[in-house]
Structure formats: structure tokens, C-alpha cells
Amino acid sequence: YCEGRVIRIKIDSGAAIDDSPGKSTRYSLSAINRLANKYGIDRRPGIVVISPHGGKVTARINGMGDYLYDVQTEIEAGVEKAEADYAAYKQTLKAKGYREWHNRHGNATIFAKLMRFDEKNNYVYLKEPGGKVTKTRLESFSKEDISYLDSISQDKATR
């Protein structure tokens, strides 16, 4: 259910816990306890679903007993709330010029605002909601995005 919808972070009492092959990560017990306190976890294992917008907690499960169905239901509800919260946030950003940009192969997107289009060197500067600015060559974009940039350039030329 969660695959492709959430990013899982496992934090366990100072043990090596990273699932990535060849990687080992250790967290101090005090750092783990600070995170647990921050998100209201007082029994472990705990699960917290957090909206990508503003870090709002949309589901919290303290400890895990024999309630697998209830846990799954809580996680699903939390993920859906987080997605709805983020979708509403993105709608407010669209009014400020943010939009989905696609690569020419159609397998990657970025939600960002056009900062600048350098027509001379064919670079597009995009700003993501978090403030990160990326510089990408024009030919990396989809035909639809290139048409969009052309229409903006034509609008400026007629002014």
C-alpha cells in the first residue's frame, strides 16, 4: 500500500538499522528519544505518518500489539490525510505560478516555479517549494513544457 507513497525512516535504539546494502547508520539514544518526544511516541515500536507540508502528524501509533488490522487502517488513513494535505498545499502554490514540469522521457516530474528562462544558453531555472533552485537544459524537458516556455517567450516579445 505504501510503496511509492511514503518514505520510510527506521530509527532504532542506537543499532545499525539501515536497510540499504552496504550502508550502516547509527543514531544516539538521546537523538532517538528527542524524536520520539517530538512526535509523541512513548511506546516502541512507534509509527508516525507526517505530511510533507509543514510536518503535520496525520497518524500516530504508539507501540504495536496484536492489532495488525487497526495499525494498517491507521497508516492508510494517515497516508491519505497527508496526501490530501499536500495536494491542498500544492493548489495554493499553483496560484503563485508553481506547476508540474516533466522530463522528455515522461518518467520524472518536478513541482516548481519558473524563475528564469535563459533563451540564449537554453537553460531553465526552476524553484521548488522548499527554495531549492535547479538549472536544467531546455532539451531535457517534455514537448509540452517546451511549448509552455515558448508561449511565455512570445508573450514577453509582444509586450
Side-chain angles (χ1 to χ4, degrees):
Y1 173 80
C2 291
E3 188 173 333
R5 298 174 84 182
V6 301
I7 298 170
R8 180 177 78 166
I9 301 172
K10 288 175 38 177
I11 302 174
D12 191 12
S13 304
I17 48 88
D18 196 325
D19 285 341
S20 303
K23 290 186 179 180
S24 177
T25 305
R26 293 191 181 278
Y27 299 93
S28 71
L29 188 54
S30 62
I32 291 166
N33 288 334
R34 280 194 306 273
L35 278 172
N37 288 336
K38 179 179 180 175
Y39 292 108
I41 298 295
D42 55 15
R43 288 179 285 149
R44 294 190 184 123
I47 297 174
V48 180
V49 179
I50 304 168
S51 171
H53 166 60
K56 183 170 98 179
V57 174
T58 59
R60 178 182 299 112
I61 300 163
N62 258 314
M64 306 255 276
D66 296 327
Y67 310 104
L68 186 57
Y69 175 76
D70 292 339
V71 169
Q72 181 176 345
T73 302
E74 285 290 320
I75 291 171
E76 289 174 0
V79 169
E80 289 172 13
K81 285 179 192 173
E83 288 174 340
D85 181 56
Y86 189 59
Y89 172 63
K90 282 175 72 172
Q91 281 303 117
T92 65
L93 292 178
K94 284 181 180 180
K96 297 176 182 178
Y98 286 83
R99 64 189 291 275
E100 292 284 337
W101 296 84
H102 307 273
N103 72 351
R104 64 184 170 144
H105 303 294
N107 59 1
T109 63
I110 181 173
F111 185 71
K113 178 180 182 176
L114 177 65
M115 294 300 295
R116 184 166 66 99
F117 176 29
D118 178 356
E119 294 177 66
K120 181 180 176 185
N121 297 306
N122 282 331
Y123 280 111
V124 179
Y125 295 82
L126 300 175
K127 181 178 180 182
E128 297 178 52
K132 179 182 175 185
V133 176
T134 58
K135 172 183 165 183
T136 309
R137 297 215 39 95
L138 178 64
E139 59 268 12
S140 298
F141 289 97
S142 69
K143 290 178 183 177
E144 293 80 12
D145 290 333
I146 292 171
S147 294
Y148 172 76
L149 291 166
D150 285 342
S151 71
I152 290 173
S153 295
Q154 290 172 1
D155 283 350
K156 285 184 179 178
T158 59
R159 287 183 195 170

